[in-house]
Amino acid sequence: MQKYLKLINNISNLKIRYANIEDLHFTLKLHNQNVLKEKFFSKEKVGLKKHRIWLKKKINEKMLFICAFKDKIGYVRFDYINKKNLSVSIAIKDKYKRKGFGKQMLIKTLKRKKISKFNIIAVIKKQNLISKKFFLDSGFKFFKKNIYMIKAKG
């Protein structure tokens, strides 16, 4: 019970902020780890120079959120699909997986004013059953094939 209460307290202390250039190495490392584990659709690791260019664009768009409660634990990224829809991608350090942090990261970013006016699309690898369950448990609905969606609030 004590362990459970500590976990709940940690989740409630989760902080979400916009990414900045100081997150360069953190986001690069987390992205490349997921590529190696074949969790992302991308099959190639990204180099520092290319990642810096990408990160600066995301910082300007205000579409990349860093999540932390003591240290940085993960990020939630949104990409424009069209004027009504965004895609979402989540990356979290292994030691924080399956403890409720990812769901809270997602929920807190979905409540952001800029994000809440869009439909959010999650495209999930066919064999990634853990991600399918995660998005369904987070309020997303099966849309078609490997696509899950949550409707805009605004």
Side-chain angles (χ1 to χ4, degrees):
M1 182 67 165
Q2 189 71 17
K3 193 175 185 180
Y4 177 75
L5 290 174
K6 186 177 180 185
L7 178 64
I8 295 299
N9 189 43
N10 286 341
I11 292 172
S12 66
N13 289 331
L14 186 69
K15 302 285 187 251
I16 305 291
R17 64 167 175 79
Y18 290 118
N20 60 55
I21 200 63
E22 293 171 12
D23 300 311
L24 178 70
H25 293 283
F26 171 74
T27 54
L28 177 65
K29 182 177 179 183
L30 199 49
H31 172 82
N32 283 339
Q33 285 173 346
N34 279 292
V35 169
L36 289 174
K37 293 178 183 178
E38 298 180 354
K39 300 286 184 189
F40 288 171
F41 284 97
S42 177
K43 294 185 183 343
E44 292 182 24
K45 286 175 57 175
V46 178
L48 185 61
K49 186 177 179 181
K50 186 175 179 182
H51 186 69
R52 180 178 278 115
I53 293 166
W54 173 86
L55 182 62
K56 285 180 179 179
K57 179 182 173 207
K58 284 293 159 199
I59 290 168
N60 289 335
E61 290 177 350
K62 296 194 180 298
M63 299 293 275
L64 179 63
F65 299 89
I66 301 298
C67 309
F69 79 97
K70 287 182 183 172
D71 297 321
K72 297 174 197 175
I73 67 167
Y75 65 80
V76 180
R77 184 190 86 227
F78 295 94
D79 294 298
Y80 291 101
I81 296 172
N82 56 40
K83 64 182 181 178
K84 292 183 181 181
N85 301 299
L86 299 175
S87 66
V88 64
S89 179
I90 298 175
I92 188 167
K93 288 181 176 178
D94 286 343
K95 73 179 186 177
Y96 296 101
K97 289 182 179 179
R98 298 198 184 121
K99 293 184 169 82
F101 289 100
K103 186 174 183 179
Q104 286 306 308
M105 287 167 44
L106 179 62
I107 289 168
K108 285 184 176 206
T109 56
L110 290 174
K111 289 179 181 177
R112 293 287 180 118
K113 188 176 181 179
K114 180 176 183 172
I115 304 301
S116 66
K117 59 186 170 187
F118 290 93
N119 297 321
I120 308 298
I121 310 286
V123 181
I124 302 167
K125 284 182 146 188
K126 184 179 175 181
Q127 68 276 21
N128 194 341
L129 301 179
I130 292 169
S131 284
K132 287 178 186 179
K133 183 178 181 340
F134 169 82
F135 281 103
L136 288 170
D137 289 349
S138 298
F140 283 66
K141 304 289 184 222
F142 176 76
F143 183 64
K144 62 181 178 182
K145 212 171 181 180
N146 60 338
I147 299 172
Y148 295 75
M149 182 167 68
I150 194 165
K151 294 278 187 177
K153 302 273 189 233

